[in-house]
Amino acid sequence: MTLIDRYLLIQFLKSFLIFFVSFTGLFIVIDSFNNLDEFLKYGDMTGSTFGVLWDYYSPRVFTFFGMTSGILTLIAAMFTVTWIQRHNEMTALMAAGISQARIVRPIIIAVLVIAVMGVLNRELLIPRYIDRLSRNAQDWMGESKKALQQKYDNQTDVLINGASTYANEQRIESPNFRLPDSYEGVGDQILGANAFYKPPTADRPGGFLVDGLTKPETTAGVPSIDLNGEPLVLMPGDNRWLNPNQCFLVTGLTFEQLTASSQWRDYASTYDLISTLSNRSLDVGADVRVEIHSRIVQPFLDITLLFLGLPIVLRKENRNIFVAIGYCLLVVIGFYAVTLACKAMGSSYYGIRSPALAAFIPLIIFVPIATAMSTPLRS
């Protein structure tokens, strides 16, 4: 790595970190003051307000990086190029016979590395904190009850309903599970005091443990229920780990998918989203398919955005940093307006029938434009 490469790379990384820390800090300060009463209350409960703030905002730094890395790399790149132009360093390098493409090569490589870091952040780090990210400051401990919107298990046709949910216990209060048919000793409905979600293990499938059964009134002599050769309702007579006033409803729906489906989609890894396509219990809509394809093209969109903004500064040879940021803002607004519009139309099947096409249309539109704008850079 040459001296000039190191110099530009350091300038770029300094600019990127300054912008990222500034915007992240501004977000944390504004949000924490808006929810200060809640954080103080939770601090009294746990014994450390700082600990609550750390647990709440540390995973949100990862999500903020995922949302802003593409924009911030463009801003940092334009800021760096404008800076060396303003101090006539670009002119001196070009006078020495060095092309513009060679000058900005370390910046382009740095953007590629940050795009890869964004993918790793989204796929490896954010999914680890999905439970924290799905809770807001008003219900950080998960103790507040929330209404449960009834949902069908598309594989078993069981209607899952209940009075309310509690995230900290993964509990449904007063569960009301309506079965697809009437069964001997059970009927077509299971009622109880509470239902606790239990993930699948080697000994049993995943589902809800219903405690305090009120319907059926007794489980004595009632056999477990199978549906098409698969277990549907497990009864104590066949499963010694169940108490006499309990039963177990088998379902492929998790507690998060029942109570926070949209947030779960935003924070889950791409592998988990793809896995939902084969989950017959879920009714996966076009929005999930658009999200999967959008994640695949996101690194390419970040690179495309760079090659839309960078040639503007190089071609104009503008020495004013604020004017460069203004150009950057216009490019970003147009770019993200088209991207969000395509995703919205693909998610609703309005105008774009294919989820894959909805994700790839921004590339189809902007890659030729970026290629044409970068012609002077390549020459």
Side-chain angles (χ1 to χ4, degrees):
M1 184 180 292
T2 66
L3 179 64
I4 299 300
D5 289 335
R6 290 197 300 271
Y7 173 73
L8 289 175
L9 187 59
I10 291 173
Q11 291 293 331
F12 171 80
L13 292 178
K14 284 170 58 178
S15 301
F16 179 82
L17 289 175
I18 289 172
F19 285 123
F20 178 71
V21 172
S22 300
F23 286 121
T24 304
L26 183 63
F27 161 74
I28 292 176
V29 169
I30 295 175
D31 189 75
S32 60
F33 271 101
N34 288 336
N35 301 292
L36 187 59
D37 292 339
E38 286 78 6
F39 291 133
L40 292 176
K41 179 183 69 174
Y42 293 132
D44 293 337
M45 295 170 58
T46 60
S48 174
T49 302
F50 177 78
V52 173
L53 291 171
W54 174 263
D55 291 340
Y56 183 81
Y57 285 109
S58 55
R60 281 164 173 77
V61 172
F62 299 130
T63 61
F64 195 79
F65 176 82
M67 291 187 298
T68 61
S69 60
I71 300 176
L72 294 183
T73 51
L74 174 61
I75 295 176
M78 299 183 74
F79 187 90
T80 302
V81 172
T82 305
W83 184 267
I84 64 174
Q85 285 180 339
R86 185 175 185 179
H87 291 83
N88 295 318
E89 294 165 321
M90 176 74 77
T91 303
L93 292 171
M94 294 180 65
I98 304 175
S99 66
Q100 288 183 336
R102 177 62 187 87
I103 295 172
V104 300
R105 187 174 68 180
I107 297 176
I108 296 173
I109 294 175
V111 173
L112 289 172
V113 172
I114 293 176
V116 173
M117 291 174 58
V119 173
L120 297 176
N121 170 68
R122 184 181 64 238
E123 302 302 327
L124 300 179
L125 293 178
I126 292 178
R128 295 176 56 187
Y129 302 101
I130 189 170
D131 182 58
R132 297 190 201 177
L133 292 170
S134 61
R135 302 182 190 180
N136 56 27
Q138 287 69 37
D139 188 30
W140 175 236
M141 297 298 181
E143 297 176 341
S144 302
K145 67 177 182 179
K146 296 181 179 179
L148 173 64
Q149 293 184 351
Q150 62 184 13
K151 180 173 290 188
Y152 270 104
D153 182 329
N154 289 334
Q155 182 177 2
T156 62
D157 287 333
V158 174
L159 178 62
I160 299 177
N161 199 2
S164 54
T165 61
Y166 296 84
N168 60 333
E169 301 175 301
Q170 293 197 326
R171 173 170 66 95
I172 300 177
E173 185 179 33
S174 301
N176 182 351
F177 301 150
R178 187 169 295 277
L179 304 179
D181 203 351
S182 181
Y183 298 90
E184 182 179 357
V186 178
D188 63 350
Q189 196 174 24
I190 295 177
L191 303 177
N194 294 287
F196 300 88
Y197 176 74
K198 304 295 181 182
T201 64
D203 301 327
R204 56 161 177 76
F208 286 91
L209 174 64
V210 183
D211 190 30
L213 278 173
T214 57
K215 187 176 182 181
E217 298 179 357
T218 179
T219 59
V222 179
S224 298
I225 301 173
D226 291 342
L227 181 66
N228 300 324
E230 299 291 335
L232 177 61
V233 181
L234 304 180
M235 289 296 180
D238 305 318
N239 301 271
R240 296 185 179 276
W241 50 275
L242 290 171
N243 295 326
N245 65 336
Q246 295 179 336
C247 71
F248 190 86
L249 176 74
V250 178
T251 177
L253 296 174
T254 66
F255 185 83
E256 290 80 8
Q257 291 167 348
L258 280 174
T259 58
S261 56
S262 61
Q263 292 178 328
W264 178 87
R265 180 199 67 192
D266 294 336
Y267 302 134
S269 65
T270 304
Y271 175 81
D272 291 334
L273 290 179
I274 294 174
S275 299
T276 61
L277 299 179
S278 59
N279 188 344
R280 292 182 294 170
S281 296
L282 277 174
D283 182 16
V284 179
D287 56 340
V288 175
R289 292 181 169 85
V290 171
E291 180 68 21
I292 292 172
H293 291 288
S294 297
R295 292 188 178 189
I296 295 173
V297 304
Q298 187 60 50
F300 303 100
L301 288 175
D302 292 342
I303 303 302
T304 303
L305 182 60
L306 173 69
F307 284 102
L308 286 173
L310 194 58
I312 294 177
V313 180
L314 293 172
R315 182 180 299 175
K316 297 291 183 179
E317 295 186 356
N318 180 47
R319 299 170 184 265
N320 191 314
I321 295 176
F322 297 102
V323 173
I325 293 177
Y327 284 134
C328 170
L329 182 62
L330 293 176
V331 170
V332 168
I333 290 175
F335 183 84
Y336 279 100
V338 173
T339 302
L340 294 176
C342 290
K343 291 179 67 174
M345 289 189 292
S347 299
S348 61
Y349 289 122
Y350 181 78
I352 303 177
R353 305 292 297 177
S354 170
L357 182 60
F360 278 88
I361 279 181
L363 281 180
I364 297 173
I365 294 175
F366 289 111
V367 166
I369 298 175
T371 302
M373 292 178 63
S374 301
T375 300
L377 179 64
R378 293 194 304 273
S379 61

